[in-house]
């Protein structure tokens, strides 16, 4: 929740005027519980979606960074309240690409050019199993944590959702 990548992504969505919810998975930071080997964390994502949907009434953009993308994007793909999916820093050796094979929801993937946990060749190969529409934005000279490239990460999100195609299906909250 307090990771600089997660913070900057949230800041991008807030700048667009959309409600934002950041949360820690069970057992992280001050959260209760212990690691649930992915299944427990998927339940955390569903609980967060329930909480946000009750309060916002707007379509939700399901966004996850690193492990959060592994757990969150498949949950968001299966949840009708989620209109778009955004994966940041995809760890290619563990990401369940096939979980996004049947969803027609627009998808944005943002990856650092030198992501040590998600080499671009492996990501591109994995994305071949993901249904369209999707867009891959590569942040030049960025590592997994977008060190010294956080503004470019923010800009990728803002640009995508400022484009007509990126906003399709997302209502303006004003």
């Amino acid at each position: 929740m307090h990771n600089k990548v997660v913070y900057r992504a949230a800041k991008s969505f807030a700048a667009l005027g959309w409600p934002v919810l950041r949360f820690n998975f069970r057992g992280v930071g001050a959260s209760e519980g212990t690691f649930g080997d992915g299944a427990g964390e998927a339940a955390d994502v569903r609980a967060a979606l329930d909480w946000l949907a009750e309060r916002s009434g707007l379509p939700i953009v399901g966004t996850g960074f690193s492990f959060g993308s592994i757990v969150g994007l498949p949950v968001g793909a299966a949840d009708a309240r989620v209109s778009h999916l955004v994966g940041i820093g995809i760890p290619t050796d563990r990401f369940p690409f096939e979980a996004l094979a049947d969803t027609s929801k627009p998808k944005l993937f943002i990856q650092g050019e030198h992501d040590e946990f998600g080499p671009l060749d492996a990501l591109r190969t994995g994305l071949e199993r993901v249904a369209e529409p999707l867009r891959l934005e590569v942040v030049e000279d960025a590592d997994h944590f977008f060190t010294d490239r956080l503004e470019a990460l923010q800009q990728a999100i803002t640009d995508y959702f400022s484009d007509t195609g990126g906003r399709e299906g997302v209502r303006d909250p004003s």
Side-chain angles (χ1 to χ4, degrees), residues 6-172:
V6 174
Y7 172 79
R8 288 294 191 104
K11 190 173 176 180
S12 297
F13 289 111
L16 290 166
W18 301 346
V20 175
L21 171 65
R22 292 182 294 152
F23 67 94
N24 279 330
F25 289 113
R26 57 189 64 213
V28 176
S31 295
E32 295 181 5
T34 58
F35 180 65
D37 201 28
E41 290 73 19
D44 295 344
V45 173
R46 286 189 287 277
L49 289 173
D50 291 344
W51 187 91
L52 187 58
E54 278 181 25
R55 286 155 181 82
S56 78
L58 296 171
I60 296 168
V61 176
T63 304
F65 166 62
S66 197
F67 178 74
S69 70
I70 292 170
V71 175
L73 270 57
V75 171
D79 192 310
R81 300 169 296 186
V82 176
S83 64
H84 290 64
L85 301 170
V86 178
I88 303 169
I90 303 295
T92 54
D93 64 335
R94 297 182 59 205
F95 190 81
F97 293 101
E98 58 284 344
L100 304 182
D102 295 326
T103 182
S104 61
K105 295 177 184 184
K107 293 163 281 301
L108 171 63
F109 294 89
I110 306 171
Q111 198 81 350
E113 180 182 23
H114 304 294
D115 189 315
E116 56 272 36
F117 302 108
L120 287 175
D121 288 344
L123 179 60
R124 286 185 175 108
T125 298
L127 290 178
E128 291 174 3
R129 300 190 311 256
V130 173
E132 293 285 344
L134 68 86
R135 183 188 299 179
L136 170 61
E137 291 291 333
V138 177
V139 177
E140 291 183 17
D141 298 322
D143 62 10
H144 185 68
F145 294 99
F146 296 86
T147 305
D148 298 324
R149 302 296 291 143
L150 290 166
E151 287 182 20
L153 165 68
Q154 275 187 261
Q155 193 64 51
I157 293 169
T158 302
D159 288 351
Y160 178 79
F161 286 101
S162 295
D163 291 349
T164 305
R167 290 185 57 87
E168 184 178 319
V170 178
R171 294 188 313 231
D172 186 343

